[in-house]
Amino acid sequence: MPMISPHGTWSSPISASAVAEAGGSQQWLGIVGGELWWAESRPTEGGRVTLVRSDGEKVEQLLPAPWNVRNRVHEYGGRPWAATGNIVAFTHWDDQRVYALDLTDRAVRPITPEPPAPHAIRYGDLRRGHEGEIWAVRETSTGPRRTDITRDLVALTSDGREPRALGATHHFLTAPQLSPDGRHAAWLGWDHPAMPWDGTELCVAEVGTDGGFGPHRVLAGGPEVAVCQLEWENADTLLAVLDPDGWWNLHRIGLDGTRTNLAPAAEELGGPLWKLGLQWFAPLGGGRHAVLRSGRLAVLDEHRGTITDAGGTQRRPVWASTLVPFAGGVAGVATGPQQEGAVVVADLDAGTLTELGDPSGRELTGRLAERGYLPVPWEREFTTPDGERVPAYVYPPTSPDHAAPEGELPPYLVHVHGGPTGRNFPVADLDFAYFTSRGIGVVAVNYGGSTGYGRRYRERLREQWGVVDVTDCAAVAEALVAEGVADPNRLAVRGGSAGGFTSAASMTPSPPAAGTYRAGTIKFPILDLTGWTGEGGETHDFESRYLDGLIGPLPETAARYRDRSPLYRTGSLAGPVLFLQGLDDEICPPEQADRFVAALHGSGIPHGYLTFAGEQHGFRKAETIVAALEAELSFYGQVFGFAPPGIPVVDLRT
């Protein structure tokens, strides 16, 4: 019989440490010698990333501590490893050099020079080039500002010779990919102020006998067409995902410039290129291709012009963009409403999935699901006052041990994803379950600007950031109140990065008035739009012109930048706020949160500010994840009037 307890006071087996321990993720799959390899994060080891491999039965770690397989290209990183011959090249976070793991004796040695200053030269999107070579994007710091960056394409050799420059066609580049006959190389490029989901160009060049590239030609893409992935099909044709009709579809592109959409559909088969090397499709042969349709695994049959969901994926319907052909099927990382992410191999003919990797995290999630502690997200579609649809996923309070007193409505957290060119998926999320198992609901909103719904929906946010996102999230929250699902007096908004901006903007409404939310958790946010972007801005190069599209070009719209900056609206703060910030963040640096919190001193509004040394953009260390979750729960308890059992009280100042 469930115990009757107020929302927020429910005891839960989902501790913050359990969330941290299960928080490892798999990424960057590839094939080496017929075996499946991938990178895997380890929160309990300081958040480092290791390389592992599987022969289909057992999983072996290949790089013990202190190796950390990450890089800083674009600050979000790119594909950090690639194999050629008997070596596997990988980038190491501590110095950003490329190292070679020799598969014969497991020795590791550097193959790029030591940079002149720490992290001054970075490599990413590692690809196999000519025999004995690894091709990559090289990023070089040229000055003191975060935007003082140049990029070029380089060839690396396992003997550690000086990297050989291959060329540079654009300010931003993906690594070149070599055609099967070795005669051509293809890559993507784009320039400020475009982001890669705005417009990119698919470039191709002949490879000379000396290994150098000739003049490039643009085969596809442009200012209003975004190419997000390419693969060589044969010596004369490429396969690429691009959106000339407003949806990312799979196309065949000839070296003569011909282009064919293999299965036209009003569906997204690609996504935003936040990290170099993401893979949304994998050729299977015979005119069949594994594709991701808004995150679901499907098979595209070009002869029939059809896209059909893969069988056997019902329990794990959401797949990450890291598909590779394997064992006659396709391998990837898949998750579901009650399953944590796992490396899986799909037999597309038999309609079966085989799970690989360490099962410990999945066992925890499985036990919690079986015992009834994990909520099953409800897929909903809400409507804004001006009639726009807003998809969202509702995670209701869920516990087998507790029920609320009759008539008591639960607090709800409106979760705002980052990006803002990103999205939420209906998956098991122990971060959410930490709250829902204690009687606090969560709703994850795919506000205007989110991906997965076509270019038109993505561009609802064009010059409207801080307006459309705020309005959409509020419409969802207020609809839950109107339906009698959520307590109108206990609504909070939470988010990190761009989601931190929307959370802060939601808590500082303009004109000043009582807002939708009583409280806000603001993680590694953007708070001063002018200070963050533009010439001499505080952010990194990749996003330094992002706001041209999200807010408007400078200097013409300078007033709009200030009007929408939460930092200049602290006087209209609608309630208590909690800030969580990594001190090594190069994307949303701590200076912004520092200024906002300083402006709140003496305001009389309760606020908290926790900073974490050694954390970059997003939290990777187990101890940070624990401290941040417990602080957030304590914060809601103090604002909403409940005492979560066993949780340290976070200090709130006025």
Side-chain angles (χ1 to χ4, degrees), residues 17-42:
S17 60
V19 176
E21 289 169 12
S25 62
Q26 305 83 20
Q27 53 199 308
W28 306 121
L29 273 62
I31 310 300
V32 181
E35 295 181 331
L36 190 62
W37 287 45
W38 64 88
E40 188 168 282
S41 64
R42 301 287 173 88

Side-chain angles (χ1 to χ4, degrees), residues 302-371:
E302 61 179 270
H303 301 303
R304 298 178 180 178
T306 59
I307 304 170
T308 307
D309 284 344
T313 61
Q314 293 82 357
R315 291 182 67 250
R316 293 186 174 276
V318 178
W319 288 57
S321 46
T322 182
L323 292 182
V324 293
F326 184 68
V330 63
V333 177
T335 188
Q338 303 230 301
Q339 292 79 30
E340 283 284 288
V343 175
V344 300
V345 178
D347 185 324
L348 298 171
D349 294 323
T352 59
L353 287 185
T354 301
E355 297 182 9
L356 306 176
D358 181 3
S360 59
R362 302 198 300 275
E363 288 174 356
L364 170 64
T365 307
R367 290 195 303 270
L368 293 170
E370 289 172 4
R371 294 167 60 190

Side-chain angles (χ1 to χ4, degrees), residues 252-328:
R252 175 174 289 112
I253 299 171
L255 289 180
D256 59 0
T258 57
R259 187 182 73 203
T260 304
N261 189 334
L262 301 185
E267 295 193 69
E268 296 283 46
L269 307 185
L273 195 62
W274 279 104
K275 297 182 179 183
L276 299 181
L278 297 177
Q279 296 167 287
W280 288 270
F281 77 89
L284 301 172
R288 300 169 74 236
H289 311 271
V291 297
L292 297 182
R293 57 196 313 192
S294 294
R296 305 190 311 278
L297 182 66
V299 176
L300 185 153
D301 187 323
E302 61 179 270
H303 301 303
R304 298 178 180 178
T306 59
I307 304 170
T308 307
D309 284 344
T313 61
Q314 293 82 357
R315 291 182 67 250
R316 293 186 174 276
V318 178
W319 288 57
S321 46
T322 182
L323 292 182
V324 293
F326 184 68

Side-chain angles (χ1 to χ4, degrees), residues 95-120:
D95 57 13
Q96 295 294 303
R97 298 171 74 184
V98 180
Y99 288 77
L101 168 66
D102 193 314
L103 298 182
T104 58
D105 58 9
R106 298 293 180 92
V108 176
R109 64 183 185 279
I111 63 172
T112 57
E114 186 172 351
H119 289 212

